[in-house]
Amino acid sequence: MPSAMEGSEGGEGEILSYEETEDDNVSPTDLSELLKEGTKESHDRAENTQFVKEFLKGRIKRELFKRATVALYFTYSALEEEMDRNKDNPVFAPLYFPLELHRREALVKDLKYFYGEGWKEKIQCSEATQHYVDRIHHVGQHEPELLVAHAYTRYMGDLSGGQVLKKVAQRALKLPSTEEGIQFYVFDNVSNAQQFKQLYRARMNALDLDKNTKERIVEEANRAFRFNMQVFDELDEIGRSLTEEAQDGGLPAHDGKGDLRKCPYYADKLAGEAGAGCPCHAAVALAKHPLVQLILAACVAVAAGAAAWYSM
């Protein structure tokens, strides 16, 4: 299950980017501004991958959501390991917020919910995720000044559009109201997401970085987007191979536009749940029963024989 990734500030209706107004005091040469402008194209491409579009429409299979959660677990385990390694490094230290941001423990809770206590033996890192993980470890160990690109892309997105994805997943998969299975999106130690993101960007802009390093960070952020898109494409391919039995039933997430009662699909489903389903739908469902189909076939055969005899 992807999280929303931080990127350009979009217009009305954009899901995966943040919505609040930027600080008027920022400069075009500030790292936050360079990242916003420099990742616009990557952000748009990521938002328009098939997996993300289907997710936002509520068409997400439970098995696929579980696998997305696994991918996030391996990604954030690597990211937070490297952040811990560089917590005292001046090129990253001001952005080290383990209490507020770290997601690994939350993802462990989600994996326990989906896979049970033996979850570790039931999961494995996918090929696309492994490429992402390898890059994060390389950056943390050899180019720590680029670690900010990965942290910014992931965490700021989680605090933004990620909260929309949380609601979509909860509804589409009928997850408990206690937020089990979606702890990844719950930031208990961030009381005001907008203010925290402003603080994070201010800290980012205060890093002592030259122009070349800032350009490399923007390039690395675009690389992070590409890794995420590769994971999305991999999940999309897996999703196409899943059987219908693996899909969690129920209503797709409504997009909030128009009157829900006027949607034929929702009206039929809701009426059925209330015990007032359409008689035609009941007849069709009955006709799908194997025994009924056998009886109908026999009747058709008898009728055909009678018609043939009568026409002789």
Side-chain angles (χ1 to χ4, degrees):
M1 167 243 56
S3 72
M5 293 176 295
E6 188 70 343
S8 61
E9 183 176 8
E12 182 180 357
E14 187 171 21
I15 297 296
L16 296 186
S17 62
Y18 55 83
E19 298 176 352
E20 72 275 6
T21 302
E22 291 283 358
D23 189 341
D24 292 335
N25 296 321
V26 296
S27 163
T29 59
D30 283 342
L31 183 57
S32 65
E33 287 297 294
L34 293 172
L35 280 166
K36 185 179 74 171
E37 294 300 320
T39 60
K40 274 184 177 180
E41 186 177 340
S42 293
H43 176 270
D44 290 342
R45 286 204 305 270
E47 190 177 48
N48 284 287
T49 57
Q50 190 65 24
F51 175 77
V52 173
K53 289 193 293 185
E54 292 296 298
F55 192 131
L56 290 171
K57 292 175 182 176
R59 295 202 286 260
I60 179 72
K61 298 175 183 178
R62 188 180 185 90
E63 179 62 27
L64 203 58
F65 187 83
K66 289 165 60 177
R67 296 196 188 200
T69 303
V70 171
L72 289 171
Y73 167 76
F74 284 109
T75 300
Y76 280 85
S77 293
L79 180 56
E80 288 162 12
E81 178 182 340
E82 297 307 329
M83 288 165 60
D84 288 343
R85 186 194 308 276
N86 289 281
K87 63 182 180 181
D88 296 320
N89 190 323
V91 299
F92 185 77
L95 301 176
Y96 186 66
F97 292 95
L99 186 63
E100 292 85 357
L101 294 179
H102 281 198
R103 299 288 85 203
R104 184 182 180 279
E105 292 308 312
L107 284 161
V108 168
K109 293 178 183 178
D110 290 339
L111 292 173
K112 283 182 179 179
Y113 173 77
F114 286 119
Y115 291 95
E117 288 299 324
W119 62 273
K120 280 190 177 180
E121 287 72 41
K122 299 175 183 177
I123 67 171
Q124 60 181 3
C125 188
S126 70
E127 182 178 355
T129 305
Q130 189 62 56
H131 291 322
Y132 193 5
V133 165
D134 290 343
R135 179 60 187 177
I136 291 171
H137 282 309
H138 170 83
V139 165
Q141 295 170 33
H142 303 289
E143 301 177 272
E145 67 276 10
L146 302 183
L147 197 57
V148 58
H150 293 276
Y152 168 83
T153 301
R154 296 302 322 180
Y155 293 113
M156 295 298 96
D158 299 336
L159 287 168
S160 302
Q163 300 309 299
V164 175
L165 298 180
K166 168 188 168 185
K167 295 176 182 177
V168 172
Q170 191 170 35
R171 177 170 182 170
L173 301 180
K174 298 181 178 179
L175 297 174
S177 59
T178 51
E179 298 181 328
E180 291 174 286
I182 49 173
Q183 282 294 301
F184 169 74
Y185 297 110
V186 179
F187 289 81
D188 288 329
N189 295 310
V190 177
S191 58
N192 187 308
Q194 180 175 334
Q195 289 180 3
F196 183 84
K197 286 183 289 184
Q198 289 173 346
L199 168 65
Y200 196 91
R201 286 192 289 270
R203 291 279 188 94
M204 208 165 49
N205 293 336
L207 291 173
D208 186 15
L209 306 170
D210 59 29
K211 179 181 178 181
N212 178 259
T213 302
K214 290 180 180 180
E215 290 174 351
R216 290 173 56 225
I217 290 172
V218 173
E219 181 181 348
E220 187 67 23
N222 280 304
R223 187 192 293 253
F225 271 103
R226 290 196 294 274
F227 279 122
N228 278 282
M229 285 185 276
Q230 288 166 9
V231 173
F232 294 159
D233 289 342
E234 183 182 63
L235 287 168
D236 190 46
E237 184 177 347
I238 292 171
R240 287 195 295 270
S241 69
L242 292 176
T243 62
E244 288 302 313
E245 286 76 11
Q247 179 155 9
D248 184 61
L251 301 177
H254 183 52
D255 62 3
K257 299 177 181 177
D259 188 344
L260 184 66
R261 294 167 297 179
K262 293 180 181 179
C263 173
Y265 179 80
Y266 274 82
D268 286 344
K269 291 289 286 184
L270 293 173
E273 290 174 0
C278 173
C280 293
H281 288 182
V284 171
L286 182 62
K288 290 181 180 180
H289 194 284
L291 180 58
V292 175
Q293 290 178 341
L294 180 62
I295 294 172
L296 288 173
C299 290
V300 170
V302 170
W309 177 85
Y310 182 80
S311 63
M312 289 178 64

